[in-house]
Amino acid sequence: MFDLDKLVRPSVKSLTPYSCARDEFQGKEGIFLDANENPYGNLNRYPDPLQLELKGLVAGLRGINIEKIFLGNGSDEVIDLCYRIFCKPGIDKALLFTPTYGMYEVSAAVNDIEIVNIPLNDSFQIDMERARAIINDKTLKLIFICSPNNPTGNSMNHSDVEELIASFNGIVVIDEAYIDFSAKSSFLPLVAKYQNLIVMQTFSKAFGLAAARIGMAFADQSVIHYFNKLKYPYNISTINQKAVIAKLGKRKKTLAEIKSIISEKERLVKLLGKMSIIKKVFPSDANFILVKVKDADLIYNILIKEGIVVRNRSSVAENCLRITIGTRNENNSLIKVLESVQI
Ligand code: PMP
């Protein structure tokens, strides 16, 4: 049985969080002499610590209650908080299916949490036999599932993921950073069904706001409570909140940008598939394509010389490059260089 109170680190459960001035008074009008702010300027006031205006828009966008939303300083803050809320340093473990997004491992190391790695199978899906064998380990507290996965680009089988959520007594975090590029359905509706599920999304990708550093976590309010308890009091700046609010007002533009990225991806997949230097183009539900090439280091360096930077993923997937979809002109430049390569 999943028991949230037992799962949360005892020091987090007993923590008295910092109470900021704006937690006590939330009105917009008034003479504010409560937070030792400077009375002059445009950015002189602390931001709303709970980002309620922005969360109201996110709630409408994703069809979920405001109490089930946490906004972090990028998804990276959400990942770090997961370790700090649920894992005891030096004792607990987290499970990853690799290759996957690097920050799960880095953040685990920062928090002194051991990682258990299960390699994805040949179709880049979860090896369920190995996963089933480990999920009853009492020190395993977190499972990270990235879907669509970075760097492979594919989505995980829905039934495998749901089986893990239903049978695991710890927290399952599904990272959906690339979900808006995918035709597959989000795991978000499952948040209403499973208290041990956290779905992460971000404004960094499909919304084009990587500079604003805002990631989202959706979970039962009992779980969100601990994120709010542990976060830095003003974790998201007013400037960044406003940037997202403005972008959410331009829904048509965002959808058009997503559509053009997807159609450029389809065009690139076809063109890359015809090249002799490319051995395989892996299917992608994201805004990037993983390709297996004849010699990844060589091709990476040729592209660099031409001022084109892709990600060499050879260290985690043999002879593979990860190519982000750019504008039509950027993609044309890439294709031109690749077509000229003779190996
Ligand atoms: N999750 C995945 C799978 C990613 O690939 C990335 C960034 N490359 C992130 C999260 C980071 O998101 P954010 O910018 O919100 O920290």
Side-chain angles (χ1 to χ4, degrees), residues 155-183:
S155 305
M156 298 301 139
N157 290 332
H158 217 280
S159 56
D160 290 348
V161 174
E162 189 161 0
E163 181 190 324
L164 290 178
I165 304 165
S167 52
F168 183 47
N169 287 331
I171 296 278
V172 176
V173 184
I174 305 180
D175 185 346
E176 293 191 336
Y178 300 97
I179 194 66
D180 293 288
F181 299 109
S182 173

Side-chain angles (χ1 to χ4, degrees), residues 74-76 101 104 146 150 175 177-178 202 204-205 213:
S75 308
D76 292 342
Y101 180 45
Y104 312 140
C146 189
N150 175 7
D175 185 346
Y178 300 97
T202 180
S204 296
K205 311 292 176 181
R213 310 300 309 124

Side-chain angles (χ1 to χ4, degrees), residues 72-79 100-104 145-151 175-178 200-205 209-216 287-288 311 322:
N73 190 339
S75 308
D76 292 342
E77 182 185 4
V78 177
I79 295 165
T100 193
Y101 180 45
M103 274 309 284
Y104 312 140
I145 298 171
C146 189
S147 184
N149 186 40
N150 175 7
D175 185 346
E176 293 191 336
Y178 300 97
M200 275 195 325
Q201 295 180 359
T202 180
F203 285 107
S204 296
K205 311 292 176 181
L209 290 172
R213 310 300 309 124
I214 301 193
M216 298 166 264
N287 67 333
F288 57 82
R311 193 91 200 265
R322 192 193 67 194

Side-chain angles (χ1 to χ4, degrees), residues 321-336:
L321 299 175
R322 192 193 67 194
I323 302 170
T324 306
I325 311 302
T327 62
R328 194 174 178 88
N329 282 345
E330 288 171 337
N331 301 333
N332 285 343
S333 303
L334 169 89
I335 292 294
K336 202 170 152 200

Side-chain angles (χ1 to χ4, degrees), residues 269-281:
V269 165
K270 280 192 198 133
L271 291 170
L272 293 167
K274 288 184 198 148
M275 294 181 188
S276 62
I277 55 161
I278 309 257
K279 286 183 158 176
K280 182 156 187 169
V281 181

Side-chain angles (χ1 to χ4, degrees), residues 199-246:
V199 172
M200 275 195 325
Q201 295 180 359
T202 180
F203 285 107
S204 296
K205 311 292 176 181
F207 290 83
L209 290 172
R213 310 300 309 124
I214 301 193
M216 298 166 264
F218 303 99
D220 189 81
Q221 49 267 48
S222 57
V223 172
I224 294 297
H225 162 78
Y226 287 107
F227 281 82
N228 287 330
K229 197 173 180 188
L230 226 63
K231 76 179 184 75
Y232 289 142
Y234 306 105
N235 60 327
I236 298 181
S237 79
T238 301
I239 301 170
N240 292 346
Q241 291 183 49
K242 282 188 175 157
V244 179
I245 289 167

